[in-house]
Amino acid sequence: VYRYWPGLVYVVLIWIAHLLLVCVEQYKRSLTGHWIPLAPDIEVKPERPVPEWPPGIYRLRPFETEKFYQSIGIDWFRKFSTWAMSTLTYGFSGQKMTFIAQPSRKQALAFERATRVSEAVHLGSAVTVAPLVVLSWLGAPLGIAIYSTVIVIGDVLLALLQRYHRARVWPVIQRML
């Protein structure tokens, strides 16, 4: 046990970082689920549509279409994660998750912004755990190697799922402009 102490310290630090990222995600859900529906429904028409929006790394690339994400299996992962979230939230009652409660331009924009936060959280989590994956496969116990690998794969899939959501909702937002 003592010869593995650096690895154990690293694992504890990774779990703390991952817990903080989960807290950020929960805080984002709290804000988007509670405060945004209470905001006044003021429709602000922009002077002109901005084709590059969302900015930076969140901008969809030309190949990132709904069909592209369906072809790599993200639609199947979306159905699975929606089922898992519904089951964890509502049990086996059959009640479905609602992501855009009241379809409007404001709600669609809020959902699109929430996908950016979720993507950043999941990519941040994957990046913080990735060194553990490499080091654990080089000699740590097998359980840590498998666990950390599953975390990174899951976080990358969830980040891709956020981009898929943006690819689906962005054309709707553009039509509303």
Side-chain angles (χ1 to χ4, degrees):
V1 174
Y2 291 113
R3 67 184 177 138
Y4 292 119
W5 74 267
L8 293 174
V9 168
Y10 182 74
V11 168
V12 169
L13 291 175
I14 289 299
W15 283 344
I16 290 170
H18 197 262
L19 179 65
L20 289 173
L21 289 169
V22 168
C23 290
V24 168
E25 177 73 15
Q26 289 301 322
Y27 178 68
K28 182 264 312 180
R29 274 198 197 141
S30 169
L31 287 179
T32 57
H34 179 71
W35 294 108
I36 291 178
L38 299 177
D41 196 12
I42 300 172
E43 294 292 329
V44 178
K45 298 288 183 188
E47 293 177 11
R48 61 179 175 84
V50 181
E52 289 88 30
W53 196 77
I57 65 167
Y58 302 111
R59 182 181 314 132
L60 293 172
R61 305 303 182 252
F63 67 90
E64 289 183 288
T65 63
E66 191 172 345
K67 288 184 181 188
F68 167 74
Y69 283 110
Q70 288 172 350
S71 69
I72 62 172
I74 296 297
D75 193 48
W76 173 86
F77 185 71
R78 178 187 63 84
K79 290 174 185 172
F80 170 75
S81 62
T82 302
W83 171 82
M85 287 173 53
S86 298
T87 304
L88 290 173
T89 305
Y90 302 116
F92 290 99
S93 67
Q95 190 171 354
K96 302 286 184 191
M97 294 292 295
T98 304
F99 295 104
I100 301 179
Q102 302 164 341
S104 68
R105 180 175 179 266
K106 182 181 78 166
Q107 291 293 321
L109 286 170
F111 178 73
E112 191 276 332
R113 288 185 191 110
T115 65
R116 295 190 224 171
V117 173
S118 295
E119 181 183 350
V121 166
H122 290 298
L123 283 179
S125 177
V127 166
T128 57
V129 179
L132 177 63
V133 171
V134 173
L135 295 174
S136 62
W137 284 106
L138 293 176
L142 184 62
I144 292 175
I146 292 172
Y147 175 76
S148 58
T149 303
V150 168
I151 293 271
V152 168
I153 291 171
D155 279 327
V156 168
L157 285 173
L158 287 167
L160 287 173
L161 179 61
Q162 300 310 313
R163 295 191 74 83
Y164 175 56
H165 286 320
R166 214 164 24 258
R168 292 175 62 216
V169 79
W170 186 243
V172 174
I173 291 172
Q174 285 182 324
R175 282 195 301 267
M176 292 179 173
L177 289 178

